[in-house]
Amino acid sequence: MSHPIISVRNLHKWYSGVHALKGVSLDIYPNETVGLIGDNGAGKSTLINILSGVQLASEGEIHLDGKPVRIRSPRDAMDLGIETIYQYNSMVPTMSIARNMFIGREPLKFRLFGLGVMDHKQMAAESTDAIAGAGLHLRSPDALVGELSGGQRQGVAIARAMHFKSRVMILDEPTNHLAVKETKKVIDFVRSLKDLNITGIFISHNIHHVFECCDRIVAMARGEVVLDKRAEDTSMDEILDVL
Amino acid sequence: MKRLLKIYMEKPELAALVLLVLLVILFQVQSGGVFLSANNLRGILGILPEIGLMVIGVTILMICGEFDLSVGSVFALMPMVMAVLMADGTPFILAFGAGIAACAAIGFVNGFLTINYNIPSFITTLGMLFIARSLTIVISGGFPPLLPNDLPNWLFTVFVGPGDLFRMSFVWFVVIAVLASLMMSRTNFGNWIRATGGFLPAAQAMGIPTARVKIACFMLCSMLAGFAGMIQVLRLGSPLPSIGEGWELQAVAAAVIGGTALSGGIGAVLGGVIGAILIRVIDNGLVLSQVDANWFKFAIGFLTIFAVVVNSWLAKRAKAIKVET
C-alpha cells in the first residue's frame, strides 16, 4: 500500500463544553474514495470542516503527503488542493455561473496587492470548458446560478472543484435536496473520481449511497471512529449496529 | 429576442430608468418647457452630486449586505472638522486629509463593531448617527466657524461645461460613479462584495476575507458621504451643523428605487445614480409644477414602494420567460 495522502492524528474539537471530536485518527490513501458515515452529531461535519479550513481543531495534527500542514482558512485548504462541495452549496445565487466559478480566485489582467481587473473573457471561456468537462449542458456561463436546479448547481460546484485541479475532493452530503435522477448523477461522479486521479471523501447519512460509490467505509459515532473497513468486508447491518 | 427581453427585465435599475424618463416628460409638459431649460438643469445638476455621491457609497454597502444610517451625520461632520481646522490656520489640503481620515475612522468603527460583535448594522450606525451629529455641533462650539477666503472653489463648485451647465462637483460625481461602477463589475473586489452580500456562507467557504470586505465598504461609504458634505459646504459657503439631516433615508430610498435589495447581493451603482437623479427631479419638478412642496416626501415614499413592487413583478415575469440555460 502507498503512503497516505492525508493523515489525521488525534484530532480533538471542543465547542464550549461539548467534546465533538474525541481524538480522531484517520489515514486516507491516494485515489481511494472514502465514505464517511454517521448520525447527526457524530462529528463527521466537524472533521470535514477542519479539513476544509472552515473550523480550527482544538488539538491534533494533519499531515498531507507525510508533511505536517496547518489549515487555518478555506483558502489554505484550497491552496493545498483540498476542495469541498457543500450540502448547501457554495454558490451565490445572485451571481452568474462564470463569476461563481472563480470567487476568490479570479483570473486578473492586472493586479496590485491582490486586487485587480478580472479577465472576463478567460472566465467565460474556462467556465464553459469546465462545465462541459463535468458533463453538464448549460448554454451560457452568464446565466444566474439562482436559476439553476439543485443538481445543476452541484454540477457547477463539481466543475469548479475539478477546474482547480483538486487532489482531494470532499463532498459534504452533496445529495441532500436533490431529485432522484440528479442524485444518481452525483453518485456516478463520485464513482468516477478514481479515473480522474482524485481522492474522494464522501459524507452522507444514506448508507445505500455510500455502498454504491465508495471503496472504504468509515463510520463515526459520538465523536469517535467506530468502524473502518473496506466496503467489501462489511455490510449495512454491521454499520447500522455500530452507529 | 426573448433572451434579450429576459436579460433586461432582470436588470433591477430598469424600472427606475423608465420612471425617470416618464417623469421628465411629465414635468416638461406640466411646466410649459421650463423643466429642461438650461437654467433649471443648472439647478438640478448643481445639487445632484451631493446626494448622488452619498448614494453611491450607500448602494455599494447595501450590495455588500450591510446598511449605514450615519451617512447624513458624517455628511455634516466632515466639513465641520475641516472648517474648525481651517479656522485655526490649517491649509485646505491638510484639513481635507483630516476630514477624510475622520470619515474613514467612523466607517471603520461602524464596520468593526458590526462584524466583531455581530450587531445588526442598523443598530451600530443608528448609534453613530447620533454620535457624529453631536460631535459636529460640539466641535463647532455652537456656531459655525467662518470659512477662509482662499478655498479651491475652482476645483469643486464653479460652473463649467457647455453653457456653464454644471458645476465641477458634477464632474467629480460622474468620475467617481464610473469608477465605482467599474469596480463593481470589472474587479475581483467587486466580485467579492457581491458574493459577500449575496450569500455570506458561500463567500466564506470560498476563502474571501468577508470581514475585511465589509469594513472596506463601510469606510468607502463614510468617506463618500463626507466628501459630498464638503462639496455642499463649499457651495453654501458656510459649514452648517444641521446639513444632511434625513438624507440617510433619502439615500437608502434612492438605492432601493434604483433596484438595490436591502438583503444584499442585488443592485448596481448605476441604479443608485438613477435613484438619486429621480429624487432631485421630483423635488425640482414638483416646485415647477406649482404643487405644494409638502408632497415631496409623499412622492419619495410612494416611489420607493412602487419601484420595489415593479421590480419584484418584473423579476417574476422574467423568470416565467423560458429560455434554455
Side-chain angles (χ1 to χ4, degrees):
Chain A
M1 196 103 195
S2 53
H3 295 290
I5 181 164
I6 290 186
S7 82
V8 165
R9 285 285 161 269
N10 196 28
L11 220 53
H12 285 270
K13 177 75 184 178
W14 285 271
Y15 297 106
S16 63
V18 180
H19 200 174
L21 281 188
K22 301 170 184 163
V24 168
S25 295
L26 190 63
D27 288 323
I28 291 165
Y29 295 92
N31 290 358
E32 74 171 346
T33 307
V34 176
L36 187 57
I37 200 157
D39 229 328
N40 292 339
K44 55 188 195 313
S45 287
T46 305
L47 175 61
I48 280 341
N49 283 342
I50 290 170
L51 285 179
S52 57
V54 175
Q55 289 175 343
L56 292 177
S58 310
E59 208 185 303
E61 284 173 23
I62 302 168
H63 296 257
L64 192 82
D65 297 326
K67 287 186 275 287
V69 289
R70 297 192 56 118
I71 304 176
R72 272 163 297 198
S73 70
R75 198 52 203 256
D76 285 351
M78 291 180 208
D79 290 344
L80 293 169
I82 304 174
E83 294 276 339
T84 310
I85 290 163
Y86 296 89
Q87 164 185 1
Y88 289 108
N89 212 303
S90 37
M91 296 271 148
V92 181
T94 56
M95 287 165 63
S96 71
I97 294 172
R99 279 174 177 253
N100 263 294
M101 286 276 302
F102 293 95
I103 292 176
R105 290 180 285 196
E106 296 85 354
L108 300 178
K109 281 192 225 171
F110 147 93
R111 75 169 66 227
L112 196 68
F113 305 118
L115 300 178
V117 178
M118 293 189 290
D119 191 337
H120 278 282
K121 259 194 199 144
Q122 189 186 341
M123 283 167 67
E126 285 186 14
S127 42
T128 306
D129 285 353
I131 290 165
L136 220 61
H137 303 287
L138 295 172
R139 254 185 73 175
S140 160
D142 298 323
L144 294 183
V145 164
E147 299 196 340
L148 305 181
S149 73
Q152 286 174 321
R153 287 188 207 192
Q154 285 304 36
V156 176
I158 287 169
R160 174 167 68 189
M162 281 165 55
H163 178 72
F164 286 101
K165 307 260 178 294
S166 66
R167 302 178 59 207
V168 178
M169 200 182 292
I170 301 174
L171 297 106
D172 189 0
E173 312 217 10
T175 54
N176 286 15
H177 320 289
L178 291 193
V180 179
K181 261 192 181 165
E182 292 176 328
T183 301
K184 185 178 176 302
K185 264 196 170 170
V186 172
I187 302 279
D188 286 344
F189 169 74
V190 176
R191 210 182 278 148
S192 72
L193 281 176
K194 217 185 307 294
D195 307 327
L196 302 165
N197 252 337
I198 298 172
T199 308
I201 305 176
F202 178 67
I203 296 95
S204 180
H205 48 233
N206 187 322
I207 301 187
H208 299 275
H209 290 169
V210 172
F211 267 94
E212 267 177 69
C213 60
C214 296
D215 307 321
R216 194 175 129 206
I217 294 178
V218 173
M220 289 184 71
R222 295 163 297 277
E224 288 169 286
V225 172
V226 290
L227 179 143
D228 182 352
K229 283 186 174 174
R230 309 285 312 163
E232 58 268 22
D233 298 337
T234 182
S235 66
M236 294 194 193
D237 290 332
E238 187 184 2
I239 290 172
L240 283 175
D241 269 352
V242 297
L243 287 183
Chain B
M1 180 62 215
K2 245 167 129 188
R3 175 179 298 272
L4 217 64
L5 185 68
K6 185 179 169 81
I7 288 173
Y8 277 97
M9 277 166 78
E10 274 170 350
K11 291 247 182 241
E13 58 269 32
L14 176 76
L17 189 60
V18 172
L19 262 171
L20 178 62
V21 172
L22 290 179
L23 275 176
V24 167
I25 294 171
L26 176 76
F27 286 137
Q28 176 72 354
V29 173
Q30 275 279 324
S31 64
V34 177
F35 184 76
L36 285 180
S37 69
N39 254 329
N40 192 49
L41 282 180
R42 204 171 289 147
I44 296 178
L45 297 179
I47 306 179
L48 172 67
E50 293 157 17
I51 183 85
L53 285 165
M54 185 189 278
V55 171
I56 292 171
V58 168
T59 302
I60 291 174
L61 185 60
M62 274 170 70
I63 294 173
C64 193
E66 298 292 344
F67 189 77
D68 191 350
L69 282 175
S70 67
V71 283
S73 301
V74 172
F75 184 86
L77 178 60
M78 145 78 175
M80 190 60 80
V81 167
M82 284 182 68
V84 169
L85 287 174
M86 286 190 294
D88 280 347
T90 314
F92 177 86
I93 186 72
L94 289 181
F96 176 78
I100 286 289
C103 295
I106 287 177
F108 180 81
V109 170
N110 279 340
F112 180 79
L113 292 178
T114 301
I115 288 149
N116 228 34
Y117 298 100
N118 209 2
I119 309 169
S121 46
F122 185 93
I123 304 296
T124 25
T125 59
L126 178 66
M128 193 55 83
L129 176 153
F130 292 117
I131 293 172
R133 181 67 65 184
S134 170
L135 282 177
T136 308
I137 298 167
V138 169
I139 63 171
S140 77
F143 41 79
L146 284 175
L147 291 178
N149 292 321
D150 55 344
L151 292 176
N153 284 330
W154 56 272
L155 193 54
F156 296 107
T157 57
V158 293
F159 282 102
V160 290
D164 279 352
L165 198 56
F166 44 81
R167 293 175 186 263
M168 270 307 287
S169 57
F170 185 73
V171 176
W172 281 96
F173 171 54
V174 171
V175 168
I176 290 175
V178 168
L179 287 179
S181 211
L182 287 176
M183 178 186 86
M184 291 305 290
S185 62
R186 296 274 147 197
T187 70
N188 58 346
F189 190 63
N191 216 32
W192 299 355
I193 292 175
R194 203 172 285 279
T196 301
F199 189 43
L200 190 63
Q204 283 167 337
M206 295 313 293
I208 290 176
T210 53
R212 266 182 279 168
V213 169
K214 283 192 173 188
I215 289 176
C217 288
F218 271 108
M219 291 171 71
L220 182 68
C221 181
S222 287
M223 288 192 285
L224 282 174
F227 184 61
M230 180 198 75
I231 286 175
Q232 178 163 80
V233 163
L234 289 178
R235 179 173 61 86
L236 298 176
S238 174
L240 301 174
S242 60
I243 56 171
E245 254 169 20
W247 279 35
E248 55 281 330
L249 297 180
Q250 276 191 36
V252 172
V256 170
I257 290 169
T260 305
L262 207 56
S263 49
I266 300 174
V269 171
L270 178 63
V273 168
I274 294 172
I277 297 174
L278 259 174
I279 287 184
R280 293 320 317 158
V281 160
I282 289 172
D283 190 12
N284 179 278
L286 287 181
V287 174
L288 284 187
S289 319
Q290 298 180 323
V291 177
D292 182 351
N294 289 314
W295 285 100
F296 171 63
K297 284 186 179 167
F298 180 94
I300 301 299
F302 176 79
L303 206 61
T304 308
I305 298 171
F306 182 70
V308 174
V309 171
V310 170
N311 268 328
S312 119
W313 181 80
L314 277 177
K316 228 183 259 172
R317 301 296 306 169
K319 224 174 194 168
I321 298 179
K322 289 195 175 61
V323 291
E324 216 181 316
T325 41

